[in-house]
Amino acid sequence: SLHYNKVMSYKHSYLDRPEIFAVNREDAHSIFTPSFTKGKVTDLSGKWKFSSFQRPELAPEDFYKTTNDISSWNDINVPGSVEIQGYGEPKYLNLMYPWDGREEVVPPNIPTKENRTSLYVKDVEIDSIEGSVFLSFYGVQTAFDLFVNDEFVGYAEDSFTLSEFDITKYAKQGKNRIAVRVFKFSTASHLEDQDYWRLSGIFRKVVLSVRPNGFIKDIDVKTKMSPDYKKGTISFIIKTEAKRIRIEMGKNVVETDASGASTEVMMFLSEPKLWSAENPNLYPYTIIALDENDEVLEKVDGFAGFRRFEIVDGVMKINGKRIVFHGVNRHEWNPETGRTISIEDMEKDILLMKRNNINAVRTSHYPNSEEFYALCDKYGIYVIAETNIETHGTWQNLTGKDIESQIPGDDEIWTPAILDRAKSNYESFKNHPAILMWSVGNESGGGEILSRVAAYFHKVDKARLVHYEGVFNDRTYSDETSDVESQMYTPADDIEIFLKRNYDKPFILCEYSHSMGNSNGDLMDYIRLEREQEQYQGGFIWDFIDQMLYKNGELVYGGDFGERPNDSNFCANGLVFADRTPSPKLQEVKYAYQGFAIDVNEEFFTIKNLNLFSDLDQFKTVLIHEVEGKVVAEKDITGNIKPGAEITKRIPFTRKGGNEAFRVSIRLKSDTLWAKKGYEIAHGQWYSIAETTVGEDSKPAEFITGSYTWGFKGKNYTACIDRRTGMLTSFRKNGKEYIESTPYPSFWRAPVDNDRGSNLTAQLGRWSAEGLYTRPMGCTVEVREDETVVSSLFMLSVTNDDYVIEHGFTEEGVRITIKYLGRESIVPEFGLLMRIIQSENDVTYLGLGPEENETDRKEGAIFSIHSFKASENLTPYSMPQEAGGRCDVKWAQVGDLKFTAENEMILSVLSWTPEEIESAKHHSELPPIKKTVVRLLKTRTGVGGDNSWGALPHNDKMARIKYDDSFTFYLS
């Protein structure tokens, strides 16, 4: 029974009634566009007349009348969200409903104080109305009324699925007025509490179709493989009132009389090529509807894929092989147009995924545009197809988790709408071989209603699995609702413990490795787990693209449009930036997700083929020997390894000593749809870093004693030490001064997003002052045979612990050693910070790269010589934070200065200090560039990434210093 009170001051027949979600809307069916029709298909994208109001009662009720003069109305782009085009404010929220703190709304009631209502009108010419006329809305947020030629046609909800209306009886030949009234909030809003920008309007295309009598209404394509994969069966179930149907698939042609409203045609193939992400083999087909004279009424082109996806003994398998999802979650997003994206945007996403070894996508958290699924079919991407259901804010809030308040739970009031959403998801995309699982929805608790959604999917589709993570928090109907154990952000160690309980379902992480800002630390822990635990079958990184918007030319996040409350930059969790520029994090993801496990040491290399269907000899394999970052030998070692097999071979090169590396590189042998010949798809490396010391033949620099300054003169440099502080105040090379201000110990890095979320910034906050504010306790000078050494003692400002800095001056340069003399502590980092002149902007180094890397995100980096500019090295994460570091660096040339580690070091060269970076909330707030900041570090705490709201970097990646720890590098 219904249990809500109608509290709206504005009366609408359906808006506040959860049991009414569609009026006069056509039944859901497969989405396709005829390649030929005797009718006409017209895309109505473009300018529409538009007016928008804060609440529905402010909007004219008769706006749709053809007698209205709307010439003075504004124009708006369709598709496109209204807020992004200047009507109301975009609002970014994660869990909260948009009215939180503004109005108390008890479900299923809806807000009355604010409910943006947007009116769209377009006059359209229709040449002919022979047959049937349809208006198809592919995405309208959140609910809308449709009027044609002064008549009410229908109403629809569900923002992300097709809403189609038969307007034949309303349309006329000639000019037709189409009017749409869009409401931002309805009872449907309670079911659409996704983590995204809250927008409204007609944000996907609108299509007007005139279809001939006998048009094709629906196509259902089902493929089936024999147990030995030798024979394939394809079934076409066609809904049409045409007289005859012809189906063409290669040399197979079948023509038959149409039998009533639904006709089934079967074809048989011998040894069909199977579809998978590795080999996305597709079979093109054409379905033709014919009239009684055998004239073509309509043609529809499509692609079929033959594959089998199933669970065998608790393990998911595709075409008989254990599948591992190397996936991402993906929002539809464009920083200029928001949720309105182009086919070009979709294809860019797919290309980036394929080039970085991403093989799977979860359509978080709603059905995507149909074109995206077709691209996944074509390029080879496994898909979890999510239904447009999320009610996160009803069951989780600051007080904890309340199962009793969750929607839908067992509340029958929501059953019709929720089942309809599932049906729309299935019917729309059922013919795409890329879809392996239907997802019930996201973060909507548990309960019986969602178990019915799973039952529906199981009933209509025997060839796919059903996924739902939400039963993790309410397991009442866990077995019925999800075929797989799906969790979010579970640490790898905890997954292993879970699986040891003899759990009988496959295990995936539908969200993991939260990619917010400088993140994705320890991703490889999950990869090692998937190689050891058969039932752990991978996961989906959150997420693919930053949800940021342009404002005055700058990418901004929640709160930057004045919207309150908001969830700040939690919308920026992407492996790629909002403009689809790859972030440095992809370097690690590409390595983690590669299809070959490559282990190299100083004598042998091992390659294991992790692919399911691809042999190694499909690629070119090269072994490279580098010394001091330069290639000294290269050998083509292309050979074959079958999937699942491995080889170990001796390295045929002779070691040269010093800083050297052996590297295996696997590359494309020929062009593919997604990359050119020679593109590297996998690599593995071994490298060694030699120790550097003051040589026995070194001579001390010339020592000059001053009253306040000790001076030193080498072959091509001079330096000064302040006798009162013991600090380096000058370093001139070839007569040019390089020190912008006195170097000091660096214990602090600018917090990354994960530091803020885990409260690590507060826990280690005292270290932000320790390097900046220290007390000199005295210094001494000693002239030795090989160097002249100034030893300076300092006291830290907060703990009163001590440290020593030694400057050893030789003819060639300066040895700088910092030694910690305090209690054992966890620190953000430990080393030395030098501010040098701005002109020293070009950096070349021997170490891990080419992209930034961190102590817990460096396994995918390559040890070689790399270069960058300091002024461009602060990665443009949504909020300025620590970035641009490089690990395992032997030496770095910063302009004319060279820094060489005694062993290896972590290098940071930026244009700002950590304090300046931390103080800015946007990159435009950073001060003008006036210096180059060089940090040379012994150790640094990892960035973490298991999640961004509590998880610390792993224990072994927390930087620890203890009494007598020291770090040495050389300046020349």
Side-chain angles (χ1 to χ4, degrees):
S1 64
L2 302 183
H3 51 81
Y4 61 92
N5 297 315
K6 297 188 73 171
V7 297
M8 295 180 63
S9 58
Y10 172 75
K11 301 301 181 184
H12 186 281
S13 299
Y14 318 117
L15 199 62
D16 60 343
R17 299 178 65 183
E19 77 279 13
I20 300 179
F21 46 85
V23 176
N24 295 334
R25 190 198 69 194
E26 292 292 289
D27 290 341
H29 58 78
S30 58
I31 296 177
F32 58 86
T33 299
S35 55
F36 168 83
T37 177
K38 278 196 168 182
K40 186 177 182 181
V41 178
T42 305
D43 189 335
L44 299 184
S45 298
K47 301 292 184 182
W48 289 51
K49 286 299 182 181
F50 182 79
S51 189
S52 189
F53 303 87
Q54 188 175 11
R55 297 189 304 277
E57 60 264 33
L58 302 178
E61 188 68 29
D62 64 348
F63 79 101
Y64 56 87
K65 295 289 187 180
T66 54
T67 54
N68 290 338
D69 180 6
I70 58 171
S71 59
S72 63
W73 283 26
N74 294 330
D75 288 337
I76 197 168
N77 290 319
V78 172
S81 298
V82 303
E83 292 82 359
I84 290 174
Q85 300 185 70
Y87 301 90
E89 58 190 21
K91 190 171 189 175
Y92 167 65
L93 294 171
N94 176 18
L95 274 70
M96 283 183 280
Y97 281 94
W99 49 80
D100 195 78
R102 299 284 186 181
E103 185 174 352
E104 189 172 350
V105 178
V106 178
N109 295 320
I110 67 174
T112 60
K113 295 179 180 178
E114 293 184 23
N115 186 3
R116 179 156 295 280
T117 302
S118 299
L119 311 178
Y120 296 77
V121 176
K122 191 174 185 70
D123 291 330
V124 178
E125 292 287 333
I126 299 179
D127 299 332
S128 170
I129 56 172
E130 291 184 15
S132 298
V133 185
F134 295 94
L135 265 174
S136 303
F137 295 83
Y138 285 80
V140 182
Q141 201 161 26
T142 297
F144 69 100
D145 294 320
L146 172 64
F147 303 84
V148 174
N149 296 332
D150 295 341
E151 298 291 335
F152 171 75
V153 174
Y155 170 83
E157 298 173 353
D158 190 352
S159 301
F160 295 95
T161 52
L162 172 65
S163 294
E164 190 169 69
F165 298 89
D166 185 341
I167 64 168
T168 307
K169 68 179 182 180
Y170 309 102
K172 62 184 180 181
Q173 189 168 346
K175 180 180 177 181
N176 291 259
R177 175 157 290 189
I178 299 170
V180 183
R181 178 170 51 191
V182 178
F183 304 96
K184 187 166 187 173
F185 300 130
S186 71
T187 52
S189 302
H190 292 290
L191 303 179
E192 297 182 7
D193 188 34
Q194 284 93 338
D195 171 10
Y196 58 16
W197 290 86
R198 309 308 169 98
L199 305 170
S200 64
I202 304 173
F203 68 93
R204 288 183 185 159
K205 66 183 178 182
V206 181
V207 174
L208 174 67
S209 304
V210 180
R211 307 286 293 280
N213 293 323
F215 69 91
I216 299 171
K217 295 180 179 179
D218 183 48
I219 301 168
D220 190 355
V221 181
K222 298 183 184 296
T223 61
K224 189 175 181 180
M225 297 301 303
S226 63
D228 60 1
Y229 296 95
K230 297 294 185 181
K231 297 179 182 178
T233 304
I234 184 167
S235 170
F236 297 90
I237 303 171
I238 315 299
K239 291 183 179 179
T240 180
E241 293 179 2
K243 296 298 181 181
R244 291 182 64 76
I245 298 170
R246 184 164 69 240
I247 299 177
E248 302 171 350
M249 193 172 76
K251 296 179 180 180
N252 294 300
V253 179
V254 175
E255 187 169 322
T256 183
D257 291 335
S259 54
S262 180
T263 303
E264 183 172 4
V265 174
M266 297 185 72
M267 292 182 178
F268 303 93
L269 279 77
S270 178
E271 297 187 352
K273 293 182 178 180
L274 302 182
W275 186 95
S276 67
E278 293 174 39
N279 301 304
N281 296 304
L282 293 173
Y283 286 80
Y285 61 78
T286 300
I287 297 172
I288 303 169
L290 304 164
D291 66 11
E292 60 274 10
N293 300 316
D294 274 354
E295 288 191 16
V296 175
L297 297 170
E298 281 197 331
K299 288 184 179 180
V300 174
D301 295 324
F303 293 91
F306 288 84
R307 56 148 183 78
R308 181 190 296 157
F309 186 61
E310 60 190 338
I311 295 176
V312 180
D313 297 329
V315 175
M316 289 180 289
K317 294 187 175 183
I318 185 163
N319 301 333
K321 301 292 185 69
R322 171 183 175 260
I323 194 172
V324 176
F325 292 111
H326 289 151
V328 291
N329 289 272
R330 173 184 173 273
H331 274 293
E332 291 187 312
W333 195 252
N334 180 292
E336 295 178 331
T337 55
R339 230 170 331 272
T340 300
I341 69 171
S342 66
I343 295 177
E344 290 73 24
D345 290 334
M346 301 177 206
E347 195 150 26
K348 284 179 184 177
D349 291 348
I350 296 283
L351 290 173
L352 279 165
M353 291 175 195
K354 294 295 290 187
R355 290 169 186 166
N356 289 281
N357 297 319
I358 294 165
N359 72 0
V361 167
R362 177 172 169 241
T363 64
S364 52
H365 295 294
Y366 41 81
N368 284 193
S369 302
E370 192 275 339
E371 295 88 346
F372 181 74
Y373 301 93
L375 288 169
C376 291
D377 294 340
K378 174 183 175 180
Y379 285 96
I381 296 287
Y382 302 124
V383 176
I384 295 181
E386 199 124 279
T387 305
N388 182 25
I389 301 170
E390 178 164 347
T391 65
H392 204 162
T394 67
W395 59 271
Q396 185 172 1
N397 51 52
L398 291 178
T399 62
K401 297 178 180 179
D402 182 5
I403 292 177
E404 296 302 316
S405 67
Q406 68 188 7
I407 290 177
D410 300 333
D411 192 342
E412 295 292 345
I413 189 177
W414 301 104
T415 301
I418 282 180
L419 287 175
D420 180 76
R421 287 169 180 247
K423 182 178 181 182
S424 293
N425 190 20
Y426 167 74
E427 293 289 350
S428 297
F429 311 116
K430 60 194 174 188
N431 294 329
H432 291 284
I435 296 175
L436 300 188
M437 285 194 262
W438 300 109
S439 180
V440 169
N442 183 65
E443 294 178 315
S444 298
E448 184 184 1
I449 308 305
L450 295 181
S451 74
R452 292 189 203 169
V453 174
Y456 163 78
F457 283 132
H458 283 133
K459 178 181 178 181
V460 296
D461 195 341
K462 307 298 184 184
R464 295 182 174 102
L465 303 180
V466 177
H467 163 272
Y468 182 56
E469 178 272 340
V471 291
F472 177 77
N473 293 296
D474 176 6
R475 291 193 177 272
T476 310
Y477 294 90
S478 177
D479 289 339
E480 297 92 333
T481 311
S482 185
D483 294 324
V484 298
E485 174 66 21
S486 177
Q487 296 182 16
M488 294 183 180
Y489 307 105
T490 308
D493 289 347
D494 290 346
I495 296 173
E496 194 164 13
I497 293 170
F498 183 90
L499 291 175
K500 285 180 179 177
R501 301 172 186 166
N502 298 315
Y503 198 77
D504 61 355
K505 286 185 179 181
F507 188 114
I508 65 169
L509 289 170
C510 65
E511 294 179 22
Y512 82 121
S513 193
H514 198 258
S515 189
M516 185 175 181
N518 192 355
S519 187
N520 298 109
D522 285 307
L523 175 62
M524 287 301 298
D525 285 1
Y526 292 100
I527 304 304
R528 283 183 275 272
L529 181 66
E530 76 186 27
R531 296 173 186 176
E532 296 167 0
Q533 294 285 341
E534 190 178 41
Q535 280 182 278
Y536 174 64
Q537 297 190 251
F540 296 76
I541 293 171
W542 186 269
D543 59 2
F544 182 68
I545 188 167
D546 282 350
Q547 289 185 83
M548 297 177 71
L549 286 167
Y550 280 115
K551 181 182 180 183
N552 300 325
E554 181 180 19
L555 285 168
V556 299
Y557 47 79
D560 287 331
F561 293 93
E563 77 275 22
R564 302 292 187 273
N566 64 80
D567 281 308
S568 188
N569 69 324
F570 204 71
C571 57
N573 318 132
L575 293 173
V576 303
F577 298 115
D579 63 359
R580 287 179 165 74
T581 302
S583 84
K585 295 172 286 190
L586 269 177
Q587 177 175 259
E588 191 82 351
V589 172
K590 180 183 178 182
Y591 176 78
Y593 281 179
Q594 67 188 24
F596 297 91
I598 304 170
D599 182 56
V600 188
N601 61 37
E602 57 190 300
E603 295 185 65
F604 300 94
F605 67 86
T606 299
I607 303 174
K608 182 172 183 178
N609 188 350
L610 303 174
N611 292 293
L612 305 185
F613 311 107
S614 304
D615 294 352
L616 178 63
D617 65 0
Q618 295 176 225
F619 309 95
K620 181 178 180 179
T621 307
V622 179
L623 181 64
I624 303 162
H625 185 194
E626 289 189 6
V627 177
E628 294 297 332
K630 297 179 181 178
V631 176
V632 296
E634 187 171 309
K635 183 179 177 64
D636 188 326
I637 56 170
T638 300
N640 197 23
I641 309 174
K642 294 291 184 182
E646 68 177 65
I647 61 165
T648 297
K649 291 188 176 182
R650 183 176 294 276
I651 292 174
F653 303 136
T654 301
R655 286 196 60 187
K656 305 293 186 182
N659 305 305
E660 68 177 328
F662 297 130
R663 182 165 173 264
V664 173
S665 173
I666 301 177
R667 305 164 183 174
L668 292 178
K669 190 181 284 188
S670 57
D671 292 349
T672 67
L673 284 174
W674 46 270
K676 296 291 186 182
K677 174 183 177 181
Y679 181 81
E680 184 176 89
I681 60 162
H683 78 273
Q685 187 179 41
W686 168 88
Y687 58 93
S688 66
I689 300 175
E691 184 179 11
T692 300
T693 61
V694 175
E696 292 181 3
D697 57 350
S698 293
K699 295 180 181 180
E702 181 183 341
F703 176 41
I704 304 165
T705 303
S707 300
Y708 294 92
T709 302
W710 287 320
F712 305 88
K713 185 177 181 180
K715 289 180 180 178
N716 65 351
Y717 81 93
T718 62
C720 293
I721 293 279
D722 186 324
R723 291 185 62 171
R724 292 164 298 186
T725 64
M727 291 183 170
L728 186 70
T729 57
S730 173
F731 185 86
R732 287 178 177 268
K733 185 175 182 181
N734 299 324
K736 181 179 179 180
E737 178 60 64
Y738 287 90
I739 299 295
E740 196 264 352
S741 64
T742 302
Y744 57 85
S746 186
F747 295 100
W748 185 250
R749 65 163 194 218
V752 299
D753 285 318
N754 293 341
D755 294 337
R756 299 186 187 100
S758 67
N759 212 30
L760 186 63
T761 300
Q763 294 178 46
L764 303 182
R766 68 181 179 88
W767 291 102
S768 63
E770 293 289 36
L772 285 171
Y773 309 109
T774 61
R775 286 175 281 176
M777 304 297 290
C779 55
T780 61
V781 63
E782 178 186 357
V783 180
R784 302 175 183 170
E785 289 185 5
D786 53 356
E787 57 181 352
T788 300
V789 179
V790 176
S791 182
S792 309
L793 180 66
F794 300 89
M795 181 182 287
L796 297 174
S797 59
V798 179
T799 62
N800 294 331
D801 287 329
D802 295 334
Y803 68 90
V804 170
I805 296 181
E806 282 187 0
H807 294 86
F809 297 93
T810 71
E811 287 184 339
E812 306 300 326
V814 187
R815 173 185 62 84
I816 301 175
T817 299
I818 178 170
K819 181 180 293 186
Y820 177 68
L821 300 175
R823 286 159 283 187
E824 184 170 347
S825 299
I826 294 174
V827 293
E829 65 182 35
F830 173 55
L832 199 76
L833 183 150
M834 302 180 69
R835 291 191 285 196
I836 62 177
I837 57 175
Q838 175 187 342
S839 61
E840 307 308 282
N841 187 48
D842 293 314
V843 181
T844 299
Y845 70 98
L846 175 63
L848 291 179
E851 303 292 347
E852 74 172 22
N853 44 89
E854 298 289 345
T855 55
D856 56 356
R857 197 187 74 226
K858 66 178 185 178
E859 294 190 47
I862 296 168
F863 185 80
S864 190
I865 291 178
H866 309 285
S867 299
F868 60 84
K869 290 185 179 294
S871 57
E872 300 171 358
N873 194 38
L874 185 66
T875 308
Y877 297 121
S878 60
M879 192 177 289
Q881 57 195 276
E882 192 58 59
R886 306 297 198 279
C887 295
D888 291 4
V889 172
K890 180 58 190 177
W891 56 259
Q893 188 80 38
V894 183
D896 286 336
L897 298 182
K898 187 170 185 179
F899 302 90
T900 304
E902 184 177 57
N903 294 297
E904 69 275 340
M905 61 186 170
I906 299 165
L907 174 72
S908 170
V909 189
L910 302 166
S911 295
W912 300 276
T913 65
E915 294 74 29
E916 290 171 330
I917 296 169
E918 180 180 1
S919 297
K921 300 304 179 187
H922 300 84
H923 286 261
S924 60
E925 299 169 15
L926 291 165
I929 296 175
K930 295 184 177 180
K931 60 189 174 299
T932 295
V933 180
V934 181
R935 282 142 70 203
L936 308 149
L937 309 171
K938 177 187 178 77
T939 186
R940 172 186 272 176
T941 288
V943 294
D946 285 355
N947 66 50
S948 297
W949 49 90
L952 292 168
H954 291 193
N955 188 54
D956 62 333
K957 303 303 191 312
M958 302 292 282
R960 288 173 169 80
I961 55 174
K962 61 182 184 301
Y963 187 86
D964 220 27
D965 273 352
S966 64
F967 168 61
T968 297
F969 66 91
Y970 299 86
L971 169 62
S972 59

